[in-house]
Amino acid sequence: MTETVVVLDPISEDSAARLRSLLPPGLVLTHGTARGDEHLKEIIAGAEYAIAGQVGVNGDVLRAAPKLKLLHKWGVGVDNLDVDTARQLGIKVARTTGSNAVPVAEFTLGLTLAALRCIAFGHAELKKGHWRTATAMPMQTYMLSGKTVGIIGFGAIGQTVAKLLKGFGCTILYSKRTKLPAVEEAALGARFATVPEILAQSDVITLNCPLTPETSGLIDRAAIRAMKKTAVLVNVARGGVVVESDLIEALKAREIHAAAMDVFEIEPLPSDSPLLGLDNLVVTPHLAAIAADNFEKAVNQMFGNIAHVARGEPVPERDSVV
Ligand SMILES: NC(=O)C1=CN([C@@H]2O[C@H](COP(=O)(O)OP(=O)(O)OC[C@H]3O[C@@H](n4cnc5c(N)ncnc54)[C@H](O)[C@@H]3O)[C@@H](O)[C@H]2O)C=CC1
Ligand SMILES: O=C(O)C(=O)COP(=O)(O)O
């Protein structure tokens, strides 16, 4: 019997065709064309498997899916999914653990350099016709080489950031729920530290943790005040880890050198957001995981999990959330 996989995010017919070319046998793929819960309820109603990228999936939507066996995150951060309701309804939840670690870690370094070296700022100024004048370069630029980098959230992405940083000769501090064994720390060249230690000692602080009740609002005005004046804050985790209004005030007052953000409290970022007016902030529209040459790897991992459930097997432990 044919079963249905629905992609809940609105995607183009081209993307749907690429997904269909990788789909395991015995499955058909449908996809969203619009935003909003009513549309989600309609398209999830007949599906056995649902895929959610950035779209929010709440309990009402899940209750409209009587046949649903598996809700799969296309990515890793499951804060947009109502995992508790899925658990209560007996719907499995999975994610593609580690699938985007390399693209997101590369992007983290890209944003770090863009902010430290004023690359994004210089780009924007030159496009306005300003050539390295005093008004065009109000900020210092700082090198990454030899600096202390604090990584908050040291899982697949954070550890890949540490690996990529090796050529820069940085001191790497990390925070995570449980300290890594010494042998792994040595291999990564990283030292466990508390968040207050990271805030006080780092030249670059990168957020690579999930959004949880513990990390929500972790970087507030007090945390920013605990950072060095020359620090750069990079957020590729989730908007809610940073109190945006506090960051705006701190950047306006030049309490830190600069920040870079790929994720925001509200996405898409409203076009009148005060963040867009700050010259010491680099912004990108939740792009870190998107790399054309990583598409197939991530999709194969996700479809592999769906195929397990279709055969009546559990999702491999690495990717199982519920
Ligand atoms: N901007 C983007 O496009 C993307 C953003 N992300 C975000 O990055 C997050 C991390 O992704 P992965 O590294 O793949 O996940 P992961 O599950 O491999 O690692 C998460 C790490 O955060 C740590 N952590 C959890 N709570 C913490 C806390 N309170 N303080 C410090 N560390 C804590 C965990 O111990 C673990 O080391 C995702 O949850 C997601 O929110 C992920 C992919 C793309
Ligand atoms: O994996 C995650 O958590 C992501 O944020 C992925 O974002 P994406 O929807 O793949 O651009």
Side-chain angles (χ1 to χ4, degrees), residues 53-54 73-77 100 238 286 289-290:
Q54 296 186 358
K73 167 76 185 187
W74 189 350
V76 291
N100 53 26
R238 284 293 181 263
H286 203 141
I290 300 174

Side-chain angles (χ1 to χ4, degrees), residues 9 52-55 73-80 95-96 99-100 104 157 236-238 262-263 267 285-291 298:
D9 298 69
Q54 296 186 358
V55 68
K73 167 76 185 187
W74 189 350
V76 291
V78 293
D79 50 285
N80 57 327
R95 61 181 200 147
T96 53
S99 64
N100 53 26
V104 179
I157 296 169
V236 290
R238 284 293 181 263
D262 185 50
V263 287
E267 294 185 10
H286 203 141
L287 281 184
I290 300 174

Side-chain angles (χ1 to χ4, degrees), residues 7 10 35 41 51 58 84 88 93 111 164-165 169 178 180 191-192 207 214 229 243 286 291-292 317:
V7 181
R35 295 186 191 277
K41 286 184 198 169
I51 291 173
N58 61 32
D84 288 339
Q88 285 160 21
V93 180
L111 286 182
L164 296 182
L165 277 171
T178 44
L180 289 174
R191 180 158 54 82
F192 187 77
L207 305 176
E214 248 191 321
K229 274 264 198 210
V243 181
H286 203 141
E317 201 182 322

Side-chain angles (χ1 to χ4, degrees), residues 98-109:
S99 64
N100 53 26
V102 172
V104 179
E106 280 188 355
F107 205 89
T108 304
L109 281 201

